[in-house]
Amino acid sequence: MKSVKAFVSFIAAGTGLAGCHHQETARQASPHYVVGHAWQGSESWFYPAERFGVTETGLAVIQTAPKGGLTADGEIWSAQAMTGAHQTLQLPAIVSVRNLANGRIVKIRLNDRGPASAGRVLAVTPRVATLLGMGNAPTPVEIIEDETLSRQIADSNPEAPKLDIAAAPREAIVAQSLDDGSTRTLGMKSGDTQTGARTLLLPEMPPTIMQGMAEAPLYRIELGSFSGHAAAARVATQCGAEITQEAGGAGTLPWLVSLGPFTTVPEADRALAQARQCGGTGAHIVAK
C-alpha cells in the first residue's frame, strides 16, 4: 500500500513540475525594440511611430496584467515594476510622469501598448500609481519623454541595420612581428561574441519620487491639427468647436480644432463621445 501511495505522490509531483515548466516557458522574456503596426483600440485606431522629446498631457489609469504576462516589447510584466503603457511611442522609451493634481513626479520605462481608450493617454503599474498618489479614477498627468535615454535605447536595438565603417575583424587574427617573431592577437578579445555588444539597453528604473508643481487642470478635446485654415474651419463647424493658431515648431500643424474647456473628467468624456459622432475620429482628451 505504501508503494502505491509513493507512486501516486511521484506522479502528482511530476505533474506539478511539468505545469511549472510550461508556465515558465510561456512567460519567457525576450525584450526587443518595437514600433509596431497600427492597432485598434476600443473606439479608434492608433498609429505607433518613432518620436523623441515628446511632451503631452492627458488622463492616466492603473494598468492590469497583459494577456500572457508579457508586455509588447517582450518583458515579463510586474505590478511592482516602474513601467507603463503608451498608445503610440516606440518601445521601450523613458518618460517622466507628473501627477498634475499633487505635483509628484516619477520616471518610468514604457514597455507596453495601451490604454485602449482614446480618452486615456497612459496606463501605469499599481506600483507607479501608488508612488504618484493616483486613485481608481483617471488622473491628469503630464508626460515628458527623456530624449537622450530614449535615443540611446533606439541606438542599442540589435535588430537595427548597422553600417560597419573601418570595422574591427570579426574573428581573432594573430599577427607575427617580422623583427623578433613575437605575436599578438588582433580583433575580438577572448570570450567576445559577435552579438555580445549588441544587446538592447533597458535602463533600471528606481522607485524615486520628485516633487513638482501641482495644478488644477482643465480638460479639452482636441479634434485635430490642420495645415490649412479652411480644413480646420470645416471640422470646427461640424462639431461646434473652436480654432486656435499654434505657435509650435518644425513639423507642427498651425491650426488646432478643440472643444472645451471642461472642469471634470465625466464632462470631458461626454464631449469626447460627441466629438466622435460629428466625425472627430482622432479626438482625444488633454489636460491644460
Side-chain angles (χ1 to χ4, degrees):
M1 188 68 177
K2 288 183 178 179
S3 61
V4 173
K5 289 182 178 179
F7 178 74
V8 172
S9 298
F10 174 78
I11 293 297
T15 304
L17 289 173
C20 290
H21 176 73
H22 176 74
Q23 184 179 16
E24 183 179 344
T25 301
R27 288 169 53 85
Q28 185 175 0
S30 58
H32 57 279
Y33 187 81
V34 61
V35 177
H37 301 291
W39 61 282
Q40 188 172 17
S42 55
E43 307 101 357
S44 58
W45 283 82
F46 299 103
Y47 302 90
E50 195 175 56
R51 296 181 295 154
F52 300 98
V54 170
T55 297
E56 58 188 353
T57 63
L59 294 168
V61 293
I62 301 176
Q63 189 181 16
T64 56
K67 186 176 180 180
L70 293 180
T71 63
D73 72 354
E75 297 179 59
I76 295 177
W77 185 84
S78 169
Q80 297 302 310
M82 297 295 292
T83 57
H86 193 274
Q87 294 155 343
T88 58
L89 277 179
Q90 71 282 351
L91 305 172
I94 307 300
V95 298
S96 292
V97 183
R98 175 167 64 108
N99 182 343
L100 296 178
N102 60 23
R104 291 187 188 179
I105 303 171
V106 298
K107 184 168 282 192
I108 67 173
R109 183 172 67 247
L110 299 175
N111 63 1
D112 205 10
R113 283 285 173 247
S117 171
R120 310 293 179 255
V121 70
L122 182 71
V124 298
T125 64
R127 173 63 167 160
V128 174
T130 298
L131 294 178
L132 284 173
M134 292 172 53
N136 292 326
T139 301
V141 296
E142 178 187 50
I143 303 166
I144 300 177
E145 185 180 10
D146 187 318
E147 181 174 0
T148 300
L149 271 179
S150 294
R151 284 191 183 277
Q152 287 176 359
I153 292 173
D155 291 341
S156 75
N157 177 17
E159 304 301 322
K162 304 291 182 183
L163 179 63
D164 293 329
I165 301 176
R170 292 183 179 274
E171 297 180 357
I173 297 174
V174 177
Q176 184 174 24
S177 170
L178 297 178
D179 296 327
D180 57 10
S182 61
T183 62
R184 63 191 180 106
T185 302
L186 306 175
M188 288 186 178
K189 297 178 182 178
S190 176
D192 283 354
T193 61
Q194 186 173 333
T195 59
R198 294 183 61 184
T199 57
L200 184 68
L201 174 64
L202 289 177
E204 290 294 326
M205 295 287 109
T208 304
I209 305 174
M210 295 173 284
Q211 187 60 47
M213 185 175 62
E215 301 179 30
L218 297 174
Y219 303 101
R220 297 192 70 89
I221 311 302
E222 291 190 351
L223 285 82
S225 296
F226 302 84
S227 58
H229 186 274
R234 283 195 297 271
V235 174
T237 301
Q238 284 178 235
C239 299
E242 64 179 32
I243 305 172
T244 54
Q245 188 169 12
E246 299 286 286
T252 302
L253 300 180
W255 303 104
L256 176 66
V257 180
S258 63
L259 292 166
F262 306 97
T263 57
T264 67
V265 173
E267 287 178 331
D269 282 339
R270 287 193 292 271
L272 180 62
Q274 293 172 1
R276 291 198 188 96
Q277 291 177 359
C278 72
T281 55
H284 58 279
I285 298 175
V286 298
K288 291 187 175 182

